């Protein structure tokens, strides 16, 4: 786990009728007004990027788990362009919390393309980026909206993924270079393949969740009245998922049985983390469990959750953001996979870190269509075929080997 002291950042949340937003942005990065070089090609396909950009735009409108996997892109950008001003365009999904205690960016702008008046916000952002004189733009989205945004914003050199999903091949001409996202390659490597388009090929690959060094102690103090005994082994669960992806959830009764097996055979305490909306769901699981079990859904913010997970002996999770957070803070983790592709989405192990994935091979799995938000199967037989005993066996290996 790497800890960085935070520095002053500017984080803007796009709202309608914010007349001072552009001025605020430009005051923060005064060098953005400087005269900059031009690398706009006359024939995009023949241009090789050989500049050192003053201002870089990175578009990443994905979730928390993906943001953890994305941090090597930002780290390697910073290593190769240490003096560049890096602007991140993120979705308002709390993903900024993954990196706000890092030195990997200069400004974050959150943009919700699904809210009312989003078309006006789109052109507000275009105006901001035109004034920023952006030299290099990288889009890690499968939406046609963002190549158009970079083009309208006069970003001088634009790269990203080829758009072979949702019939979006027609926007490829807006990118100077692009690369195909490979469903049989880990997401970390897919993200880094975009950097290869500008000649970066020697990578440091350590996905991380960044928080201040003293935060685990602060969280322990916050929870000191909850009965957690840190002299015992604490095992974390994440039993939920986004409400639009509940098909990724291992059956709740299986989590309950797994918890009972762990408390019966090991001297462990179970802590279940999640969002406020998962609290009632988790309580139904706890009703079927014995021993010490604590529902912390909605109790901790995202950074506090990451800090707590970093102190755990083991973390067991569905394919979800907390699974990647656990891997990103160096905790041994078991990921339970069904409809999603573990080759592409498995937790990324740090050096000497124990990471295990469990799934039962089926002809119909994985059935999740990348970037679609759609899972075709509703009976979850791929997840139901994984028994509590299957997962407990993986837990045994880790708990015995880390005593």
């Amino acid at each position: 786990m790497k800890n960085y002291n935070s520095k002053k950042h500017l984080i803007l949340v796009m709202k309608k009728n914010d007349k001072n937003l552009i001025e605020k942005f430009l005051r923060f990065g005064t060098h953005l007004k400087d005269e900059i070089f031009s690398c706009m090609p006359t024939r995009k396909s023949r241009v090789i990027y050989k500049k050192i950009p003053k201002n870089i735009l990175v578009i990443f409108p994905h979730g928390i788990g993906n943001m953890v996997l994305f941090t090597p892109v930002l780290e390697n950008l910073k290593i190769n362009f240490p003096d560049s001003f890096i602007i991140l365009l993120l979705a308002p999904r709390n993903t900024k919390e993954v990196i706000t205690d890092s030195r990997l960016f200069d400004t974050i702008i959150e943009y919700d393309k699904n809210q009312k008046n989003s078309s006006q916000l789109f052109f507000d952002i275009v105006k901001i980026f035109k004034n920023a004189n952006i030299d290099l733009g990288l889009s890690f989205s499968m939406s046609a909206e963002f190549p158009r945004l970079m083009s309208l914003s006069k970003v001088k050199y634009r790269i990203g993924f080829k758009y072979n999903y949702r019939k979006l091949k027609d926007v490829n001409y807006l990118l100077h270079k692009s690369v195909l996202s490979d469903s049989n390659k880990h997401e970390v490597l897919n993200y880094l393949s975009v950097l290869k388009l500008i000649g970066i090929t020697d990578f440091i690959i350590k996905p991380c969740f960044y928080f201040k060094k003293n935060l685990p102690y602060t969280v322990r103090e916050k929870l000191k009245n909850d009965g957690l005994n840190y002299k015992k082994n604490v095992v974390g669960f994440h039993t939920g998922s986004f409400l639009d992806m509940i098909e990724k959830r291992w059956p709740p009764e299986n989590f309950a049985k797994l918890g009972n097996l762990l408390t019966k055979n090991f001297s462990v305490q179970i802590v279940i983390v999640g969002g406020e909306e998962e609290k009632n769901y988790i309580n139904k699981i706890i009703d079927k469990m014995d021993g010490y079990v604590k529902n912390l859904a909605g109790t901790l913010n995202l950074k506090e959750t990451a800090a707590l997970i970093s102190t755990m002996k083991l973390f067991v999770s569905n394919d979800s953001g907390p699974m990647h957070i656990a891997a990103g803070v160096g905790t041994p983790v078991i990921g339970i996979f069904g409809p999603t592709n573990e080759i592409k989405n498995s937790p990324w192990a740090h050096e000497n870190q124990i990471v295990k994935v469990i799934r039962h091979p089926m002809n119909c799995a994985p059935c999740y269509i990348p970037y679609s938000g759609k899972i075709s199967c509703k009976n979850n037989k791929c997840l139901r075929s994984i028994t509590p005993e299957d997962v407990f066996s993986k837990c045994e290996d880790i708990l015995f080997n880390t005593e």
Side-chain angles (χ1 to χ4, degrees), residues 219-317:
V219 174
R220 286 187 178 190
E221 285 296 298
K222 183 175 180 177
L223 299 176
K224 65 182 179 181
N225 295 325
D226 286 330
L228 270 177
N229 182 355
Y230 289 98
K231 293 182 180 180
K232 289 189 175 183
N233 293 329
V234 177
V235 174
F237 286 177
H238 182 238
T239 60
S241 65
F242 274 122
L243 294 178
D244 59 350
M245 293 286 282
I246 60 174
E247 295 86 359
K248 296 199 298 183
R249 294 179 179 180
W250 195 41
E253 61 272 17
N254 286 1
F255 269 111
K257 291 177 182 176
L258 174 63
N260 289 337
L261 286 170
L262 287 169
T263 54
K264 180 180 177 181
N265 290 276
F266 294 94
S267 180
V268 300
Q269 296 178 310
I270 307 293
V271 172
I272 307 180
V273 300
E276 181 69 34
E277 71 283 357
E278 298 175 67
K279 183 172 289 186
N280 292 335
Y281 178 78
I282 293 171
N283 281 334
K284 292 177 182 178
I285 296 173
I286 290 178
D287 287 343
K288 301 175 182 177
M289 296 176 68
D290 304 320
Y292 181 94
V293 187
K294 183 66 179 177
N295 181 358
L296 291 182
T299 302
L300 304 175
N301 64 35
L302 193 63
K303 282 191 184 295
E304 290 171 336
T305 299
L308 178 63
I309 291 173
S310 74
T311 69
M312 292 178 178
K313 196 74 170 181
L314 170 66
F315 194 76
V316 183
S317 176

Side-chain angles (χ1 to χ4, degrees), residues 363-381:
N363 292 333
C364 59
C367 64
Y368 172 66
I369 303 169
Y371 310 106
S372 71
K374 296 178 181 178
I375 294 175
S376 58
C377 178
K378 299 300 179 184
N379 63 21
N380 279 42
K381 60 182 180 181

Side-chain angles (χ1 to χ4, degrees), residues 7 31 52-56 77-78 80-87 105-106 135:
K7 66 171 185 175
H31 73 275
I52 298 177
K54 284 189 177 180
N55 308 308
I56 301 173
L77 269 178
K78 207 64 176 172
N80 284 273
F81 304 123
D83 298 321
S84 296
F85 190 89
I86 296 178
I87 307 158
F105 72 98
D106 296 284
D135 308 307

Side-chain angles (χ1 to χ4, degrees), residues 154-191:
K154 307 299 182 184
V155 175
K156 295 176 175 59
Y157 199 80
R158 305 179 296 275
I159 61 176
F161 289 125
K162 290 184 185 294
Y163 291 85
N164 283 359
Y165 299 100
R166 300 180 183 172
K167 300 181 180 179
L168 296 182
K169 296 182 182 180
D170 63 308
V171 301
N172 285 332
Y173 75 96
L174 296 174
L175 299 173
H176 298 88
K177 279 191 174 183
S178 57
V179 63
L180 183 65
S181 179
D182 187 346
S183 61
N184 291 311
K185 183 188 291 185
H186 197 282
E187 204 73 283
V188 169
L189 302 179
N190 274 315
Y191 294 150

